[in-house]
Amino acid sequence: MTKPASMKTPSATTQAIDETTQGRRLRRMRKTGWSRRMVQENHLSVDDLILPFFLTGGEKVEEPIEAMPGVSRYSVDMAVRMAEKAAKLGIPAIAPFPRESADVKSDDGSYIADPDNLINRAIRAIKKEVPELGIITDAALDPFTTHGHDGILRDGIIVNDESAEMIVRGALAQAEAGTDIIAPSDMMDGRIGLIRDALDANGFQDIPILSYATKFASAFYGPYRDAIGTLGLLKGDKKTYYISPANTDEAVREAEQDLMEGADMLMVKPGLPYLDIIHRLKSTFHVPTFAYQVSGEYSMIKAAGRNGWINEEAAMMESLMAFKRAGCDGILTYYAFEAAEKIHQGWHIGK
């Protein structure tokens, strides 16, 4: 008797595949959109997004940044509007960075401790109008130094201990202004312990520290340095205090040291070139771990998208999912607004 079509004998190739995999076919659960969504292992939500943006002086100012299409510097009053938009979209926190005028910069970056610098004025203004939004502030010196380094430069050397002391002063000024999280990105040894002790001694025991524990000497920072006015370092480079891109064990040691000194969270910067570091830190320490999708990463995706070489929107969301897959609890990204809007519109990578 002839077998019905549904009972046809499998080909030799099909039999070989089924015998090799014992009948398992991983493509079965990729067949439909609903099944792909159902078995998705990692998920991206608005709660994962942190919006970094740039401050400048004046009023009603919005200055486009040429190296970062779609990103601008904002005066404090306009920054408040940015914060309101972030809160409306459900983004939990923002991270402002200042472009200070040349007349307030100095060799030691002491303006970081001034209560009326751009960061501190922005903290107060945003907290007044959008108190429910988290504010994460950096205590590095580079926006405040004449030479553009993250520490104090003396005789061609970034002096560690004096730099750390100035960074502590900046962190205290930001705490007094009302910041929610101190996030030092300078990579000076010992600064986490000093900041923790100073915060505790001055009544700020509840302010957590998000340490840029693993900040690499990367080529991806160029547009950011243009944005804050430190594009051309007057002397040297940052390789004596940032981590070499070749080193992973050193990154783990940096993170371990910062946690022992009192850090509550860890940051990896840049992001996509260092997914292995994110995964290793999360697997090793099991603490909240964040990534900064830095300016160079953003600008590459943006430029390729504008030239029609890639689908910018798809690449944006895929890159953010990569951070979640690596183990991130949160992502600083200049795409925060666009990503939040896509998520609210029902975006799902499995569709």
Side-chain angles (χ1 to χ4, degrees):
M1 185 174 67
T2 303
K3 293 182 180 180
S6 60
M7 296 291 289
K8 285 183 179 178
T9 302
S11 68
T13 301
T14 301
Q15 284 182 318
I17 291 173
D18 282 345
E19 287 171 6
T20 301
T21 63
Q22 298 180 337
R24 293 190 298 272
R25 294 201 174 206
L26 298 180
R27 287 185 57 189
R28 289 173 184 144
M29 295 310 298
R30 304 172 194 154
K31 183 178 179 181
T32 61
W34 66 262
S35 62
R36 291 192 295 272
R37 298 197 308 274
M38 186 172 68
V39 300
Q40 183 170 316
E41 298 173 29
N42 296 283
H43 297 268
L44 180 70
S45 80
V46 175
D47 293 336
D48 297 314
L49 306 174
I50 299 165
L51 173 69
F53 64 89
F54 300 100
L55 299 166
T56 191
E59 293 184 1
K60 301 188 186 320
V61 176
E62 180 177 342
E63 297 175 344
I65 300 168
E66 185 178 359
M68 300 179 69
V71 177
S72 297
R73 302 180 196 90
Y74 298 93
S75 54
V76 169
D77 57 317
M78 299 294 284
V80 172
R81 305 285 83 82
M82 292 279 289
E84 290 172 342
K85 180 178 179 180
K88 186 175 181 180
L89 284 168
I91 294 170
I94 58 174
F97 296 89
R99 178 170 184 152
E100 293 284 5
S101 60
D103 62 307
V104 301
K105 295 185 179 184
S106 62
D107 289 347
D108 66 0
S110 59
Y111 194 60
I112 192 174
D114 193 301
D116 290 322
N117 66 31
L118 278 174
I119 281 288
N120 293 329
R121 285 193 281 121
I123 293 168
R124 292 194 297 269
I126 292 168
K127 274 300 171 186
K128 181 180 178 181
E129 300 296 330
V130 199
E132 71 276 17
L133 187 68
I135 301 178
I136 302 171
T137 51
D138 189 0
L141 300 182
D142 52 325
F144 306 98
T145 57
T146 52
H147 43 73
H149 278 287
D150 299 38
I152 297 171
L153 181 66
R154 182 169 292 114
D155 298 325
I157 297 172
I158 300 299
V159 291
N160 190 92
D161 296 356
E162 290 179 54
S163 299
E165 290 172 6
M166 187 64 73
I167 288 160
V168 169
R169 290 176 56 191
L172 281 176
Q174 293 169 10
E176 289 164 358
T179 195
D180 295 292
I181 296 175
I182 298 293
S185 70
D186 53 279
M187 294 297 289
M188 297 298 119
D189 288 333
R191 92 278 199 208
I192 297 299
L194 293 173
I195 292 171
R196 183 72 274 160
D197 289 345
L199 290 174
D200 293 352
N202 286 273
F204 300 113
Q205 298 92 333
D206 293 334
I207 293 183
I209 297 174
L210 168 57
S211 173
Y212 286 67
T214 57
K215 187 174 182 181
F216 290 84
S218 173
F220 288 91
Y221 300 139
Y224 170 89
R225 290 174 180 167
D226 181 25
I228 67 166
T230 63
L231 186 59
L233 292 176
L234 294 183
K235 294 182 180 180
D237 54 41
K238 302 193 177 188
K239 293 179 181 178
T240 64
Y241 50 103
Y242 289 2
I243 303 172
S244 167
N247 294 354
T248 57
D249 290 343
E250 183 182 5
V252 173
R253 292 198 300 272
E254 285 278 6
E256 182 178 34
Q257 177 172 304
D258 286 0
L259 289 171
M260 291 177 65
E261 291 180 14
D264 302 280
M265 299 165 280
L266 299 174
M267 177 83 80
V268 177
K269 183 179 181 181
L272 282 178
Y274 299 93
L275 293 178
D276 60 317
I277 305 298
I278 296 167
H279 181 70
R280 187 169 176 187
L281 295 188
K282 186 66 176 181
S283 300
T284 301
F285 300 113
H286 307 286
V287 299
T289 303
F290 296 76
Y292 198 142
Q293 186 179 45
V294 300
S295 59
E297 299 173 65
Y298 167 85
S299 293
M300 285 195 306
I301 295 173
K302 178 66 72 172
R306 288 195 169 190
N307 279 285
W309 298 332
I310 62 172
N311 181 323
E312 180 189 348
E313 187 177 274
M316 166 186 75
M317 301 305 281
E318 183 179 343
S319 69
L320 297 176
M321 183 59 75
F323 294 121
K324 292 296 295 181
R325 191 183 68 244
C328 277
D329 299 284
I331 309 152
L332 277 77
T333 175
Y334 301 100
Y335 276 121
F337 280 159
E338 294 94 325
E341 288 166 352
K342 288 297 297 180
I343 292 168
H344 285 306
Q345 291 165 7
W347 171 87
H348 198 289
I349 204 164
K351 283 185 177 179

